[in-house]
Amino acid sequence: MTTITDRPDEKAERAPEGSGWLAAVKNVLDRPLTSYHILLGATGLLLVLGLLMVLSASSVLSYNINHGNQYAIFYRQLIWVGVGLPMAYVASRMTPRHFRMLSYLALLGSVFLLVLTYVPGLGKNVNGNTNWLSFGGPLQIQPSEFAKLALVMWCADLYARKQKLLTQWKHLLVPMVPVCGLVIALIIGQHDLGTSLVLMAVMIGMIWVVGAPTRLFIATIAVVGLIASYFVTAAQHRMDRLTNFMNPFADPSNVGWQAYHAFYALSTGGWWGVGIGNSRQKWGNLPEAHTDFIFAVIGEELGLIGSLTVLALFLTLAYAGVRIATRTTEPFIRYAAAGITVWIMAQTLVNLGAVIGLLPIVGIPLPLLSYGGSALLPTLIAIGMLLSFAKAEPGAQAALKETRRPLFGWLSSRRTPGRTGRENTRER
């Protein structure tokens, strides 16, 4: 008896149904410009959502302090976005060599600005933190936000130059840890523990990325943890925040006021939220609704679905950053991309953890969503750097040329008949 074998096309028809879409997803992820498009799309969506939620969350406060103009804070944020996007575009057109040339200048400049906050008349106290630099009138900046970007650039350049020496522990820690320690100390002196924690996370992340031994990595975490614990216990208001974090409902009318109303906002949002612009907590109950606690307003107005969408967008940013760092062969790009990703994700986790009650409230903005130009500008420049790095991935430049070619070809085809017509006219 003879057996009839399956034809190849019959075998293909019997293949698992899921293999088709899995292959399609893999094909998309294998494209050279995938990191570039993912990064650009997620950032654009977060920026648009951020503008929308700043408009909603700040409308009542803006109306009260700006003589009936409910759009004043939103207009200022719109201006910051208008300033930041060209800066991000310029950064996306630069090369790693340009960033390395600017790294030392950026570090020295940020340290200089941090020192100026200690000068009477220049340093401005906001909510107990003297971390703002006032130049008179409405112009003021927060130097610690720019120090995050400067420190990432400098550390990436330092480790790239010491690439062959990183097997020795002293080259892993010196001068990186002393310089980072100086910057963190200046920020702690401003009473800004939240930004200090983010920079500590960046320092630990950079040590891990360059491949530090496990013992050295754990020892660094332990030392940073002890330093952070000391500064938490050194100030009474930080201790109050820590004890309130353990039980935010113990004193809802005083220390627990902000956390209590953030929980209330999130709990009333339900699945789909109460609708954009319909938040109740922004009417004076929730402090810093348009800055540090904008995620609570998002949860109230857009519900659980909107909150999960925000989380998904940040996870998409993290995926793009890690993808860029792992696909490159250039050390500076690897370290800088990883450092930027650690910085943005650490700040996101600290902010979201405080809003949903998993971490103590330390007062830092949510990247790309919260109001504030000092936080937005360096973040957009960092995104521009990642876009520049994404274009350096294998095959990315060739793919960019291919995407431009159809446009140029269409333009040339539109011009050709005109030239031919003129030539025919001359022939006649």
Side-chain angles (χ1 to χ4, degrees):
M1 180 182 295
T2 59
T3 59
I4 302 175
T5 58
D6 293 334
R7 296 194 306 271
D9 55 342
E10 291 179 351
K11 290 183 179 181
E13 291 175 358
R14 298 177 185 178
E17 295 181 0
S19 60
W21 67 266
L22 284 175
V25 170
K26 185 178 183 301
N27 181 53
V28 170
L29 293 179
D30 286 341
R31 293 177 182 175
L33 290 176
T34 295
S35 302
Y36 183 88
H37 291 145
I38 288 176
L39 189 62
L40 200 60
T43 302
L45 290 173
L46 285 171
L47 272 180
V48 172
L49 179 61
L51 285 173
L52 185 64
M53 297 313 301
V54 166
L55 172 61
S56 175
S58 66
S59 58
V60 176
L61 176 64
S62 183
Y63 185 88
N64 291 334
I65 66 177
N66 291 280
H67 307 290
N69 184 5
Q70 61 181 332
Y71 302 107
I73 294 177
F74 167 73
Y75 286 154
R76 289 200 291 268
Q77 183 71 355
L78 193 62
I79 291 173
W80 284 120
V81 172
V83 173
L85 286 178
M87 297 175 71
Y89 174 77
V90 171
S92 71
R93 304 288 293 181
M94 296 170 64
T95 64
R97 184 173 65 88
H98 295 136
F99 296 121
R100 298 185 69 172
M101 291 171 58
L102 293 172
S103 61
Y104 278 83
L105 182 61
L107 179 63
L108 292 174
S110 62
V111 170
F112 177 71
L113 293 177
L114 287 172
V115 172
L116 288 182
T117 60
Y118 290 87
V119 178
L122 291 179
K124 185 176 181 180
N125 189 294
V126 178
N127 296 329
N129 299 338
T130 314
N131 55 354
W132 288 87
L133 194 60
S134 177
F135 296 99
L139 181 59
Q140 57 185 27
I141 62 171
Q142 190 173 357
S144 57
E145 294 293 339
F146 293 90
K148 299 172 185 175
L149 176 61
L151 209 58
V152 168
M153 292 171 58
W154 178 79
C155 289
D157 175 68
L158 175 70
Y159 280 143
R161 288 188 292 106
K162 301 176 71 171
Q163 179 70 20
K164 297 180 180 180
L165 302 173
L166 295 180
T167 54
Q168 306 175 38
W169 69 269
K170 62 180 180 180
H171 289 287
L172 283 170
L173 302 181
V174 180
M176 186 266 204
V177 172
V179 172
C180 290
L182 172 62
V183 176
I184 293 172
L186 288 172
I187 295 174
I188 289 177
Q190 300 172 339
H191 309 292
D192 188 355
L193 184 60
T195 303
S196 303
L197 291 176
V198 174
L199 287 178
M200 290 178 185
V202 170
M203 184 178 69
I204 293 173
M206 295 296 287
I207 292 175
W208 176 74
V209 167
V210 298
T214 304
R215 289 180 297 177
L216 181 61
F217 182 67
I218 294 175
T220 305
I221 294 177
V223 171
V224 169
L226 289 174
I227 294 174
S229 301
Y230 169 77
F231 283 105
V232 167
T233 57
Q236 184 59 42
H237 71 280
R238 296 189 190 119
M239 283 299 299
D240 292 340
R241 286 181 177 181
L242 183 61
T243 55
N244 174 72
F245 157 69
M246 300 299 182
N247 186 11
F249 299 102
D251 190 10
S253 61
N254 189 15
V255 180
W257 177 272
Q258 194 171 27
Y260 173 81
H261 284 279
F263 292 157
Y264 187 81
L266 291 170
S267 63
T268 56
W271 282 96
W272 300 102
V274 298
I276 296 178
N278 295 325
S279 168
R280 302 177 183 89
Q281 295 306 307
K282 69 182 181 183
W283 289 80
N285 290 327
L286 180 62
E288 310 297 335
H290 62 299
T291 55
D292 302 343
F293 274 73
I294 196 170
F295 186 73
V297 180
I298 292 175
E300 184 181 11
E301 294 190 351
L302 302 182
L304 180 62
I305 301 301
S307 302
L308 292 178
T309 300
V310 170
L311 293 178
L313 289 174
F314 277 113
L315 288 175
T316 303
L317 275 183
Y319 168 76
V322 172
R323 176 186 169 93
I324 293 169
T326 54
R327 285 170 62 88
T328 185
T329 58
E330 186 171 338
F332 174 79
I333 292 180
R334 179 166 62 252
Y335 301 145
I340 291 171
T341 305
V342 171
W343 153 29
I344 295 177
M345 290 305 109
Q347 185 163 327
T348 300
L349 289 175
V350 172
N351 178 278
L352 296 183
V355 173
I356 65 179
L358 296 178
L359 294 172
I361 298 173
V362 291
I364 60 173
L366 186 59
L368 299 173
L369 291 176
S370 294
Y371 168 79
S374 291
L376 182 64
L377 291 186
T379 304
L380 286 178
I381 294 173
I383 296 296
M385 289 180 62
L386 289 178
L387 290 173
S388 171
F389 299 156
K391 290 189 292 186
E393 287 189 9
Q397 289 297 329
L400 281 172
K401 292 179 181 178
E402 288 295 326
T403 57
R404 297 190 186 107
R405 186 173 299 172
L407 175 62
F408 296 148
W410 179 81
L411 291 174
S412 63
S413 66
R414 297 284 294 177
R415 287 194 295 265
T416 301
R419 290 196 301 268
T420 305
R422 287 193 297 270
E423 292 171 356
N424 292 338
T425 302
R426 285 194 298 267
E427 289 176 359
R428 293 192 188 98

